[in-house]
Amino acid sequence: SRTPAIINSLVSTTNYGTFNFTDQYFEREIGPGQTLSPAPTFDVVIDLTVVTNNIVFTLLTARNSVGNLCSGASDFLSFTTGLALPPNVPTRAPTGAPTRTPVPTPDPEFTDCEIQPIVDCDVTNGGGLLGCDNIVRPATTRCLTGGAPRELEFIYRGGDCASSTTSQTFECNGDANLNQVWITVISENQNILWNRITTRGTFMDLRGVDASASVTISTVVNGRVGTEIQSMVFATNCTETSDLNLLDTFGALELVEFTTVDSNNFAVANAAFANVEITYAAQLQSGTSLPANVIVANSVGGANDNLVPDSYFGPFDANPLGPKDTLEFAKENYVLNLLDGSALVGYSFELDVFARNLPPNQLNGCNGTSTQEITVG
């Protein structure tokens, strides 16, 4: 690129720990063709009496003068110490790559592993109408379609009756401000819409809604319903009298989504937030049976104006990976605000996985990259 880059972060990850050079190089500008001077260095002590697979991987994030973000990663460096080479190490000719044959069980001495990183994205609210490729801002913030909505969604925030922001006149008694409570929601027609332990910030997806809902919030004692601390009855139909508006609060609950059916009989979700869950994982590539020993994985993700790097080292539960195994590194949760415009910056996620063959070919390996982007419409 011909555009200078301004460093945001610089982090090296190794099997001996993480070395963060951000403070040393933050806001340093790098022009085209330039290198960092002085170069980042670190010292480690390697025990040569122990066989060790050493790894070094460096991730840099930066921006240009107008704020556009970029990132770059070094080549994955891996070397083994404390291991004497056996006398029968095969010598490969420098010309011509090894030939693979489509046999069910490849020769592990001459075949490299094949790894498939996974960045899985799921929107857990919106009744299945919101997806990572279909996150849209609400068409309306007030439910006025008449009759009962197909679905209502609340978040347990905690609060008392007096702090309610809805204009609706409703029954309310008590105060619920505990981080964990038991919430029971029953519709006017006696449909049980919710009945479980609920932690602060939980999205409560209520289906089977009719004209009104009765809410009881209680303490939790030994995993069961304890003492009632708040009770409410409020209208849940989409009329002017009910006046259901996104972000209205009813005691400890905040209304964050309503789903209605339009004139073409299509369901339409109007959500204040998208609750996005990102899962970083890895599998063998489809069609391969050669196991792989995962050494390290690196991710970078988040809002495009605040990408955050992370690294994952073994030992891992599912390692080495077989054809039916899935290795999960981490789950991350992002609550996208679809009302204030902050989610319009977009979100990006990347996972790089580095693995090695099993003995006797452990010096050879494989790596892969997976990405996921979210654009809010």
Side-chain angles (χ1 to χ4, degrees), residues 115-120 279-286 292 294 316-331 351 353:
I115 199 78
Q116 178 60 61
I118 300 169
V119 182
D120 184 64
T279 302
Y280 295 112
Q283 297 175 333
L284 295 183
Q285 286 193 14
S286 177
V294 176
F316 301 113
D317 288 340
N319 212 24
L321 280 179
K324 297 182 179 180
D325 295 328
T326 298
L327 173 57
E328 183 177 301
F329 300 107
K331 285 185 181 290
L351 177 67
V353 179

Side-chain angles (χ1 to χ4, degrees), residues 184-243:
T184 301
V185 183
I186 302 177
S187 75
E188 184 178 275
N189 292 332
Q190 299 303 300
N191 296 318
I192 298 177
L193 310 181
W194 189 268
N195 188 34
R196 68 190 73 172
I197 294 175
T198 307
T199 56
R200 195 186 301 271
T202 296
F203 284 74
M204 302 168 53
D205 187 359
L206 309 183
R207 303 187 187 188
V209 176
D210 45 51
S212 67
S214 172
V215 180
T216 304
I217 303 178
S218 307
T219 61
V220 178
V221 180
N222 296 325
R224 298 186 178 184
V225 180
T227 304
E228 179 182 308
I229 56 177
Q230 189 175 80
S231 63
M232 298 179 283
V233 178
F234 51 83
T236 54
N237 47 17
C238 293
T239 64
E240 289 190 13
T241 303
S242 299
D243 195 28

Side-chain angles (χ1 to χ4, degrees), residues 46-61:
I46 299 177
D47 187 351
L48 298 182
T49 65
V50 178
V51 177
T52 305
N53 189 23
N54 303 280
I55 56 171
V56 181
F57 180 83
T58 301
L59 180 66
L60 181 146
T61 64

Side-chain angles (χ1 to χ4, degrees), residues 249-278:
T249 58
F250 298 78
L253 305 183
E254 179 182 46
L255 178 63
V256 294
E257 188 260 327
F258 57 84
T259 297
T260 57
V261 178
D262 64 16
S263 58
N264 295 316
N265 206 33
F266 290 118
V268 179
N270 293 280
F273 304 100
N275 191 31
V276 177
E277 184 178 79
I278 297 294

